[in-house]
Amino acid sequence: MSSFTGEEEDQDEYYSDDAGVDDGKSSAAELLTKYFRDYRAGSTASANEKPVEQVQKVEEKTEEKVEEKVEALKIDEPKDVISVESTPEELRVIRAPRETIKLQRKEGWLYKVGGKSNLLQRRWFFLKESLKYFNDSMNPRLKGMINLLQINGILVSDDDPKVFRIDALNRQYFFMATDAKEADEWMSVLTANQEVLYARMREEILHSCLDKKSIFTFTPTYKFKEGILFKLGEKSSKWQKRLFVLTSDSIIYKEPDEKKVLGRIEMSEVAGLECDAIEKMCSFAIITPFRIFFLFANNDEERASWMNAISVNLFNLQAKRWLKDELAKAGEVHANSETFETEIKNLKDGYLQKDNPSHSAWQKRWFTLYSDAICYRKDPQQKVLGSIELFKIKSVEIESVKNKKFSFTLVTPDRRYNLAADSLEERDRWVQLLSKKVSETMKKY
């Protein structure tokens, strides 16, 4: 098992919704909080330094009522998968078919360092397909989730063997168990379950391939979906009606009758989904390292449809990146290698002029083309004013609009977006790339 000491470089601050609380365990709080404050400050702990006292052993049994609540939160999720840039080679070994390997289950109390503070938090953890943690024993509301396929490394402290760290794709998590044996058990089950999930993913990919003998014939098929969901406000704690749009690599939401995008959830940041994560009919949650998005649909069928579509896109995104890594390791050049490209967040950007339908003046706007949408701002560093999802674009037409030079039009069911470049060459580059991406999106849809 890898280890870490206070001599490592300082890490960037990370954020999450759960705030730190002092649970009254002063010895534990002082020990771990001081340890990680020193670690982040770059101080070096003495190799012979030992904690004065350890945390008292917490009983593994909890009240029957708590067990029932926690058990109710364990649903059969379609897939717990998200994007991962790299994974330790030893975790990719396929040891046995799916029928013969099982996910291990472990649950219990751990202390973790809060995302927004260095205060210690006592949380109830449940580990199987993912590592979930809940508020406390009497209020097991989901506080966060770590996707096992998102973990790049698990390290134990050289100074205190009951302290360990999980390096995930978008965040680092710091934990303390009651003793070294308990910490080792958590790390062992995490590693073993990660192996199982990689084996299952490989089997799932192979099953969906045209050529059942090669995983490299896998072609992702994404789902696109649009509809009304109700979102719990982050600050107001009120339910807000929003129009959600799911594409291959993101989920955006906005006011139902407005064009302005209010928020965007990158699929690469999604750790997983949770059904009934809050006491609300037809509710579910999208969990990221930075925030939990609580949503509810109008009925169970609509909720199931959304959860299924998001799960499919998450799995395909994970599979795509994993296969690209496998191709690179194998040293093969596959005919469909473009399928396994890393997602390009910014395909093209630059200034274009946009025809405003409310008046005759053309407006200069900064446009950015992503893999699923084209957005525009007043200037590169300013907020997004509007976006056009690529699956809504029916055609890209080259024609003179209001005698405007170098103009072209994006045709959607609701509107014609008239745009103009500064030169013929720039217009042709935009039209060529947009036409290609719209065509690819149509095939997926």
Side-chain angles (χ1 to χ4, degrees):
M1 188 69 66
S2 301
S3 62
F4 68 94
T5 68
E7 298 178 356
E8 294 189 24
E9 295 180 2
D10 290 342
Q11 301 296 322
D12 293 336
E13 192 66 37
Y14 52 81
Y15 303 93
S16 73
D17 272 354
D18 48 328
V21 291
D22 189 337
D23 295 286
K25 304 288 186 180
S26 58
S27 60
E30 290 170 2
L31 171 65
L32 193 55
T33 302
K34 179 181 183 301
Y35 181 89
F36 285 115
R37 279 176 179 163
D38 291 344
Y39 166 71
R40 286 175 175 173
S43 65
T44 305
S46 170
N48 297 322
E49 194 173 307
K50 299 294 181 183
V52 176
E53 54 181 312
Q54 295 184 342
V55 186
Q56 291 183 338
K57 183 70 176 177
V58 180
E59 293 184 359
E60 295 183 358
K61 291 187 178 181
T62 58
E63 295 83 0
E64 183 178 347
K65 180 179 179 181
V66 177
E67 291 287 356
E68 291 175 356
K69 287 184 178 180
V70 173
E71 190 67 33
L73 289 166
K74 300 163 192 170
I75 64 166
D76 292 330
E77 298 172 358
K79 294 263 182 333
D80 260 344
V81 232
I82 87 168
S83 304
V84 59
E85 296 297 337
S86 60
T87 305
E89 176 64 29
E90 61 270 16
L91 299 184
R92 295 183 179 275
V93 179
I94 310 303
R95 297 186 175 179
R98 180 170 183 167
E99 312 80 63
T100 61
I101 50 178
K102 302 292 184 182
L103 288 167
Q104 300 179 48
R105 170 177 166 171
K106 182 171 177 58
E107 55 188 305
W109 293 103
L110 284 173
Y111 286 86
K112 66 179 286 291
V113 176
K116 291 183 179 179
S117 69
N118 283 334
L119 295 178
L120 204 60
Q121 302 166 332
R122 184 170 177 258
R123 297 286 183 252
W124 177 264
F125 283 79
F126 176 78
L127 171 59
K128 197 173 180 182
E129 293 89 354
S130 60
L131 180 61
K132 302 175 185 178
Y133 53 97
F134 303 90
N135 197 28
D136 56 56
S137 60
M138 299 307 296
N139 180 24
R141 176 174 174 176
L142 183 69
K143 295 295 293 181
M145 176 190 294
I146 303 174
N147 192 291
L148 302 194
L149 295 181
Q150 187 186 6
I151 296 174
N152 294 327
I154 305 171
L155 301 94
V156 63
S157 169
D158 286 335
D159 300 310
D160 189 345
K162 65 176 178 289
V163 173
F164 63 99
R165 187 182 87 204
I166 293 178
D167 289 341
L169 182 62
N170 296 300
R171 175 179 167 181
Q172 286 185 327
Y173 297 83
F174 301 94
F175 302 96
M176 183 173 70
T178 54
D179 52 42
K181 180 181 178 182
E182 182 71 6
D184 186 65
E185 288 179 5
W186 279 103
M187 291 185 284
S188 297
V189 177
L190 279 164
T191 303
N193 283 10
Q194 192 181 39
E195 290 184 7
V196 174
L197 291 176
Y198 271 116
R200 289 186 177 184
M201 184 178 69
R202 183 185 180 96
E203 188 175 320
E204 193 78 22
I205 291 172
L206 192 59
H207 179 73
S208 64
C209 291
L210 295 176
D211 180 358
K212 302 298 183 184
K213 298 179 181 179
S214 174
I215 60 174
F216 300 132
T217 59
F218 172 76
T219 301
T221 302
Y222 296 98
K223 288 185 177 290
F224 295 81
K225 185 172 176 60
E226 178 177 329
I228 297 295
L229 290 172
F230 293 85
K231 181 179 74 70
L232 186 63
E234 185 177 15
K235 297 179 180 179
S236 65
S237 297
K238 295 180 180 179
W239 290 99
Q240 304 160 334
K241 186 178 181 180
R242 296 288 183 258
L243 176 65
F244 278 75
V245 180
L246 169 67
T247 62
S248 60
D249 62 2
S250 70
I251 306 168
I252 65 170
Y253 55 90
K254 50 191 174 182
E255 294 276 5
D257 300 323
E258 300 291 333
K259 296 184 176 67
K260 181 180 176 181
V261 174
L262 297 177
R264 181 185 180 101
I265 307 170
E266 297 291 345
M267 298 293 278
S268 60
E269 295 178 352
V270 176
L273 305 175
E274 183 78 2
C275 188
D276 294 324
I278 195 169
E279 293 182 359
K280 186 75 175 178
M281 292 290 290
C282 307
S283 66
F284 67 101
I286 301 173
I287 300 106
T288 76
F290 317 106
R291 179 181 172 186
I292 300 179
F293 294 83
F294 293 102
L295 312 168
F296 78 84
N298 286 322
N299 53 63
D300 286 331
E301 289 184 3
E302 185 66 6
R303 175 179 63 177
S305 176
W306 273 103
M307 293 185 70
N308 175 68
I310 295 171
S311 297
V312 167
N313 287 8
L314 283 173
F315 175 80
N316 283 317
L317 186 59
Q318 168 63 31
K320 178 177 176 178
R321 294 186 175 182
W322 180 72
L323 283 167
K324 183 177 183 292
D325 186 52
E326 293 294 300
L327 278 169
K329 289 196 304 179
E332 298 184 25
V333 179
H334 191 265
N336 293 330
S337 59
E338 187 176 348
T339 303
F340 310 119
E341 286 180 354
T342 303
E343 294 294 316
I344 302 173
K345 297 302 177 187
N346 182 348
L347 300 174
K348 181 172 175 57
D349 54 24
Y351 281 109
L352 291 172
Q353 294 187 58
K354 184 176 75 71
D355 180 26
N356 192 323
S358 62
H359 53 79
S360 58
W362 288 74
Q363 300 169 322
K364 188 177 182 180
R365 295 289 182 258
W366 179 268
F367 281 78
T368 305
L369 175 62
Y370 297 95
S371 59
D372 64 338
I374 181 169
C375 302
Y376 54 91
R377 306 169 168 82
K378 188 173 182 179
D379 290 302
Q381 303 303 322
Q382 295 190 6
K383 64 182 180 180
V384 173
L385 298 175
S387 67
I388 312 165
E389 289 77 35
L390 296 188
F391 76 91
K392 287 186 175 181
I393 299 176
K394 302 306 178 185
S395 64
V396 182
E397 299 179 354
I398 301 178
E399 60 181 26
S400 178
V401 180
K402 299 180 181 179
N403 296 321
K404 186 72 172 178
K405 285 186 176 181
F406 318 128
S407 59
F408 62 99
T409 302
L410 306 181
V411 181
T412 73
D414 304 321
R415 176 181 167 186
R416 294 174 65 89
Y417 291 85
N418 299 320
L419 309 172
D422 291 334
S423 67
L424 179 63
E425 293 77 10
E426 184 67 5
R427 182 198 69 179
D428 290 346
R429 280 194 289 268
W430 275 104
V431 170
Q432 183 179 6
L433 188 53
L434 277 164
S435 298
K436 178 184 176 183
K437 297 306 297 181
V438 169
S439 177
E440 291 173 357
T441 304
M442 284 181 176
K443 291 178 182 177
K444 293 176 183 177
Y445 191 68

